[in-house]
């Protein structure tokens, strides 16, 4: 009985902290409509700052709490809303999710910069671990009592706020109908800012309370993921009900402690299961809870993607292979290997292009599917031993097939989920795989066969060999990865221009309209998930082979979130966006940091400056994702549009090409350093459109003026009549060919719809 009471109280305490964190999440979602994936990172940052004040600088605990909870917490939430979140109106779910993911990563990188991860930092319980009371033979620490009392006070306070106060009613109205709220004299943005301040404070409070309970030193990734476990509690209340959220948190906490208490100690996987339990519960809750009915788009999003023709895509694919070959001639062997690793990440990013860019489905754990492929190819695809070990092509194909099947199995229960719920389901799968599978280093015996999924915590993946093609050579590996990327990219463009691709676009634009017109959304979702998982599996096998020895950290959720964020920032609807996002995620920032570290070693006097710039470049990664709110279509779209304006300034483009060729020749001859070539090339790419517009403005002043205001494409025919010029503009926006279909009765040419011979493209 004593054991039961002890673990029940521990479960109540843990559930109380989960409830505090989840209530802050529910609060911000209810008033802004944005699910804050950075909630755990805010808790982590607040806990580190509390440690710095109370332990690093020796401030009194009460003063540190006042500063962190009374000043830093509200300020953090208020700034997030003012600078980022209020600019996310009229954006798609993927944009809102990626921006908050970018904030999460930025806070994690910032904490690792300020507080070095290798230094241990311990936060003690309030009044010390020896301050405790005894109740029915059960010892309860004062810190745990404080957690319970604070959680109860917050639950009662929030309940009264939302049901008995005018402010609470206004908060609920801020997301339900902000226009009606304005008519009643209230400012929805001010209400949303207040809720973000309160939610941030609750997150920081949860981070401070849970750190001593968990024990051990403060770790940025671990603490962030620990608070993310509270997502399961928030989903109990459907992100609406505070009482149900608290009830879910208590169930979550008590279940975790009962597993620790009553599962047999002989079960080697008990500890991993307990850590994975919140994500398992989250996945189950998402599946069990009733979903909203399919509805048409409530808002018109600002994302716009241009789909090239297959012929143009093939030309650009050949150009990519040629450019990589020319760049290879400038690189040393280590740089070639690094570049090849980046190309494998770009292949993984293509899985996001087809899934999210084309179909609008969300996957927050792309590397987790890659981990499945790597495990399969390690066990069934390696032939030979030692230096003679190679990957067999049939083993790689088996790994890709198994990964596609796993993608389908994960998607199968999640087929009824959409938007945010689907994103949370894939996140739950990724965290579960990291905690339950990738940590499984013990041996198991099944039907007389002894095996270990992840033996010794690392897997040795040798290079692939297909006949005379041996990827042990770095140059061969780089060119093979580039050709594969080009082939898969052209294949995806062909898929997007096919009837199947138009059905995916219709599902993305309006699931309700797509279903009404007879499309089978279940088959579409299942097939696109399997295609995406297969591409991620192939890229991950090549990535593991490029690294040689991979550990569980190579597939963690944070790395997958970074890949998603950078791909969306570049342009999730473009193959070139996958190229940029993969290269930057895989090797881009690693190269930048290594460069500044080398400069610091070579110049000891300026070492702090170079190291600070290197760390700042990593933190600035988050700025790319945050910028998606301002440019939802991505960087690639903006660059293409800027160069599209130079179609009438061909001499400028020719001059830029000649200048780039001259820079390459100087570098190849050894007259110019590779870094200067990279810097000058980047400057040329960014400045050429600016210079071109300046030249055009001098030659034709009218062309240098800003373009007149145009009606948004979705409002053509509503706010403005059809014209021949608008017809061509709509064809360009929709990625349709411009062939004529005969005049209409009024003499005008018709605007092509996307619905042809059963291939539906609904534009929301």
């Amino acid at each position: 009985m004593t054991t039961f009471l002890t673990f029940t109280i521990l479960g109540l305490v843990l559930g109380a902290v989960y409830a505090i964190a989840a209530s802050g999440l529910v609060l911000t979602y209810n008033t802004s409509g944005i699910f804050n994936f950075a909630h755990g990172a805010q808790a982590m940052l607040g806990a580190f700052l509390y440690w710095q004040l109370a332990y690093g600088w020796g401030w009194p605990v009460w003063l540190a709490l006042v500063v962190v909870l009374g000043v830093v917490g509200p300020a953090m939430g208020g700034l997030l809303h003012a600078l980022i979140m209020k600019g996310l109106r009229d954006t798609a779910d993927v944009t809102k999710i990626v921006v908050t993911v970018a904030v999460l990563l930025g806070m994690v990188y910032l904490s690792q910069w300020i507080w070095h991860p290798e230094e241990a930092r311990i936060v003690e319980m309030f009044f010390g671990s020896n301050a405790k009371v005894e109740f029915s033979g059960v010892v309860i620490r004062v810190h745990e009592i404080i957690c319970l009392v604070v959680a109860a006070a917050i639950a009662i306070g929030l309940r009264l706020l939302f049901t008995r106060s005018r402010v609470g009613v206004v908060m609920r109205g801020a997301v339900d109908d902000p226009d009606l709220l304005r008519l009643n004299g209230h400012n929805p943005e001010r209400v949303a800012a207040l809720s973000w301040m309160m939610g941030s404070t609750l997150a920081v409070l949860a981070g401070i309370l849970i750190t001593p309970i968990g024990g051990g030193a403060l770790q940025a990734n671990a603490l962030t993921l620990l608070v993310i476990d509270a997502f399961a509690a928030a989903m109990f209340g459907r992100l609406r009900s505070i009482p149900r959220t608290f009830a879910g948190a208590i169930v979550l906490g008590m279940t975790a402690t009962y597993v620790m208490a009553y599962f047999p100690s002989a079960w080697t996987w008990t500890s991993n299961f307990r850590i994975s339990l919140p994500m398992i519960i989250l996945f189950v809750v998402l599946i069990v809870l009733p979903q909203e009915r399919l509805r048409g788009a409530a808002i018109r999003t600002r994302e716009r993607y241009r789909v090239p023709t297959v012929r143009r895509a093939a030309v650009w694919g050949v150009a990519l292979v040629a450019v990589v070959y020319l760049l290879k001639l400038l690189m040393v062997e280590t740089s070639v290997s690094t570049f090849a690793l980046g190309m494998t990440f770009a292949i993984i990013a293509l899985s996001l292009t087809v899934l999210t860019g084309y179909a609008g489905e969300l996957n927050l754990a792309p590397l987790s599917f890659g981990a499945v492929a790597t495990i399969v190819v390690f066990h069934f695809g390696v032939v030979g031993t030692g230096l003679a070990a190679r990957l067999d092509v049939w083993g790689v194909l088996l790994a890709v097939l198994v990964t596609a099947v796993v993608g389908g199995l994960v998607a199968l229960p999640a087929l009824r989920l959409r938007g945010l719920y689907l994103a949370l389901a894939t996140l739950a799968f990724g965290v579960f795989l990291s905690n339950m599978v990738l940590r499984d280093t013990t041996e198991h015996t099944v039907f007389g066969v002894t095996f270990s999924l992840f033996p010794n915590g690392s897997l040795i993946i040798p290079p692939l060999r297909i006949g005379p093609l041996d990827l042990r050579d770095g140059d061969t590996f780089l060119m093979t990865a580039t050709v594969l990327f080009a082939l898969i990219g052209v294949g995806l463009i062909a898929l997007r221009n096919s009837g199947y691709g138009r059905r995916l676009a219709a599902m993305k634009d309006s699931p309700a309209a797509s279903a009404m017109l007879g499309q089978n959304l279940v088959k579409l979702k299942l097939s696109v998930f399997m295609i995406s998982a297969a591409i991620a599996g192939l890229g991950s096998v090549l990535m593991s082979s490029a690294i040689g020895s991979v550990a569980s950290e190579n597939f963690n959720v944070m790395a997958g979130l970074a890949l998603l964020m950078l791909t969306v920032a570049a342009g999730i609807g473009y193959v070139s966006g996958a190229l940029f996002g993969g290269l930057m995620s895989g090797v881009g920032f690693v190269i930048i940091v290594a460069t500044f570290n080398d400069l610091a070693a070579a110049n000891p006097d300026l070492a702090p400056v170079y190291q600070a710039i290197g760390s700042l470049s990593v933190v600035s990664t988050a700025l790319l994702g945050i910028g998606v709110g301002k440019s939802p279509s991505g960087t690639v779209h903006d660059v293409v549009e800027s160069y599209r304006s130079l179609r009438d300034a061909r001499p400028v483009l020719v001059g830029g090409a000649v200048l780039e060729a001259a820079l390459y020749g100087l570098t190849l001859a050894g007259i110019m350093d590779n870094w200067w070539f990279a810097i000058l090339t980047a400057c040329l790419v960014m400045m050429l459109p600016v210079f071109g517009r300046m030249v055009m403005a001098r030659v034709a002043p009218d062309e240098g003026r800003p373009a007149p205001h145009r009606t948004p494409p979705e409002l053509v025919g509503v706010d403005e009549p059809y014209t021949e010029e608008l017809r061509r503009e709509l064809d360009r926006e929709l990625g349709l060919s411009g062939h004529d279909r005969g005049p209409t009765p009024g003499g005008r040419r018709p605007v092509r719809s996307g619905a042809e011979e059963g291939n539906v493209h609904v534009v929301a």
Side-chain angles (χ1 to χ4, degrees), residues 184-379:
N184 283 275
H186 298 284
N187 187 342
E189 298 300 340
R190 186 179 301 171
V191 174
L194 176 62
S195 71
W196 275 88
M197 294 169 67
M198 295 173 60
S200 177
T201 302
L202 291 175
V204 171
L205 175 60
I208 294 173
L209 291 176
I210 202 172
T211 300
I213 296 175
L218 285 173
Q219 293 181 351
N221 285 342
L223 184 55
T224 300
L225 292 175
L226 185 62
V227 178
I228 285 179
D229 289 346
F231 288 2
M235 293 311 302
F236 263 94
R238 294 291 303 275
L239 296 173
R240 296 288 181 183
S241 171
I242 292 293
R244 286 200 297 267
T245 297
F246 270 75
I250 297 301
V251 170
L252 188 66
M254 296 181 66
T255 304
T257 56
Y258 286 155
V259 166
M260 183 171 55
Y262 294 109
F263 271 37
S265 58
W267 292 358
T268 56
W269 48 270
T270 298
S271 177
N272 294 340
F273 179 77
R274 183 182 63 83
I275 297 173
S276 307
L277 189 60
M279 291 298 104
I280 298 174
I281 293 177
L282 173 60
F283 193 85
V284 172
V285 169
L286 288 170
I287 301 302
V288 171
L289 286 180
Q291 305 297 310
E292 297 178 355
R293 294 181 179 179
L294 287 177
R295 294 184 300 174
I299 59 174
R300 300 190 182 277
T301 60
R302 295 184 272 123
E303 290 81 351
R304 296 289 182 269
Y305 300 117
R306 296 181 182 273
V307 183
T309 63
V310 178
R311 178 179 299 178
R312 181 174 298 179
V315 171
W316 281 110
V318 173
L320 172 64
V321 175
V323 168
V324 171
Y325 177 79
L326 293 175
L327 290 177
K328 177 180 69 69
L329 300 179
L330 304 178
M331 299 179 183
V332 297
E333 184 178 352
T334 55
S335 298
V336 170
S337 300
T338 302
F339 196 1
L341 177 62
M343 289 303 302
T344 63
F345 271 88
I347 294 175
I348 300 173
L350 285 174
S351 68
L352 299 173
T353 300
V354 64
L355 182 65
T356 305
Y358 293 169
E361 303 299 320
L362 294 169
N363 178 14
L364 299 188
L367 292 181
S368 298
F369 292 100
V372 174
T374 301
I375 293 174
V376 173
V377 82
F378 171 79
H379 288 286

Side-chain angles (χ1 to χ4, degrees), residues 333-455:
E333 184 178 352
T334 55
S335 298
V336 170
S337 300
T338 302
F339 196 1
L341 177 62
M343 289 303 302
T344 63
F345 271 88
I347 294 175
I348 300 173
L350 285 174
S351 68
L352 299 173
T353 300
V354 64
L355 182 65
T356 305
Y358 293 169
E361 303 299 320
L362 294 169
N363 178 14
L364 299 188
L367 292 181
S368 298
F369 292 100
V372 174
T374 301
I375 293 174
V376 173
V377 82
F378 171 79
H379 288 286
F380 302 102
V382 179
V383 295
T385 58
L387 296 177
R390 292 289 189 276
L391 283 184
D392 179 63
V393 64
W394 297 109
V396 175
L397 292 177
L398 176 64
V400 172
L401 179 62
V402 171
T403 307
V405 173
V406 171
L409 292 176
V410 172
L412 196 59
L415 288 177
R416 58 197 291 269
L417 303 179
R418 300 182 302 279
L420 171 62
Y421 287 0
L422 180 59
L424 287 172
T426 55
L427 177 67
F429 166 74
V431 177
F432 166 79
L433 191 79
S434 297
N435 292 335
M436 193 71 188
V437 177
L438 301 186
R439 289 186 178 185
D440 185 18
T441 60
T442 58
E443 291 187 347
H444 307 278
T445 302
V446 179
F447 299 115
V449 178
T450 301
F451 66 94
S452 175
L453 292 177
F454 220 85

Side-chain angles (χ1 to χ4, degrees), residues 117-128:
E118 294 182 0
E119 181 181 345
R121 298 174 179 86
I122 306 296
V123 175
E124 297 180 358
M125 294 185 174
F126 293 148
F127 302 103

